Amino acid sequence: MTPLAASLVLAGCSGGVLDPRGPIATAEKTILFNSLGIMLAIVIPTILTTLGVAWWFRASNARARYLPDWEYSGRIEMVVWSIPTMTVLLLGGIAWVGSHDLDPPKPLPSTTNPIEIQAVSLDWKWLFIYPEQGVATVNQLVVPAGAPLSFELTAEGVMNCFFVPQLGSQIYTMPRMVTRLHLQADQPGSYPGLSAQFSGDGFSKMHFTVEAVSPDKFTEWVNATRGKGQALDPQSFAALAEPSEAVPPATYGSVAQDLFQAIVHPNVPPAGDQHADQPNMPPTMKMEN
Ligand SMILES: [Cu+2]
């Protein structure tokens, strides 16, 4: 394919699942193309045979044999049953092996220490907490390229779905639950991320960017962010959790201890003890600490 044709074909895929930038996304693209190949190996001969049979047995073809008493052919039976059986085995095998290899909670093999990231979907933005670095970001995820990323994910309100198409597997964020995901960006770059689960009015602007940088630049960024600007504590978290749309990227220079755990396990008062005057109070505002 000429470079021009290739760039035209790929123009629609840049930034998407067909333009992978990490090991998980690359493996998923391979599964996608292998499955497509297996299915085309059935579909193309079937279409060609259908056209061929229709053409050969046309009314005007005197050479086509007419067999009104024909009943059984072992060969045809073998083809008719063995091809779908092989298809099911091959497609099922690819899905089975792939879904165990790429199981989201499974850590990635690496010589580099994984970066722990706690992701929280809010109405309608993404909060990322770096528990080891003690910083947090909104709608922007800065990560070192080449290091495995170990995500814990939850939702503050309704369910959302964390998805960075160029890095791989999407996974749900659900209130009061923690889902796990491991990803890695191979090269520095800027990769779009989104929620793949409709979650209300501001959903369409619930985007974030993954900025993969060199490990040195990541350390620089952490040092430049840590201790500066706003602190992420239960009060500022409750303010952030208020519904808002198209939130610009922001950073927090410090994070309250165990904030993520408090989001996952808020102290819900027993039924009957609800504050009737504050019906829409976010659960995190009820935290005692
Ligand atoms: Cu879905």
Side-chain angles (χ1 to χ4, degrees), residues 3 63 109 220:
R63 284 154 63 213
E220 264 174 48

Side-chain angles (χ1 to χ4, degrees), residues 108 114-115 117 141 143-144 147-151 167 181-185:
L108 294 175
I115 304 288
I117 296 163
L141 184 57
V143 298
L149 311 172
S150 173
F151 288 94
L167 300 187
L181 177 65
H182 291 83
L183 296 177
Q184 181 175 315

Side-chain angles (χ1 to χ4, degrees), residues 97-115:
V97 173
S99 53
H100 283 82
D101 273 355
L102 305 176
D103 195 16
K106 190 172 148 184
L108 294 175
S110 177
T111 51
T112 316
N113 279 341
I115 304 288

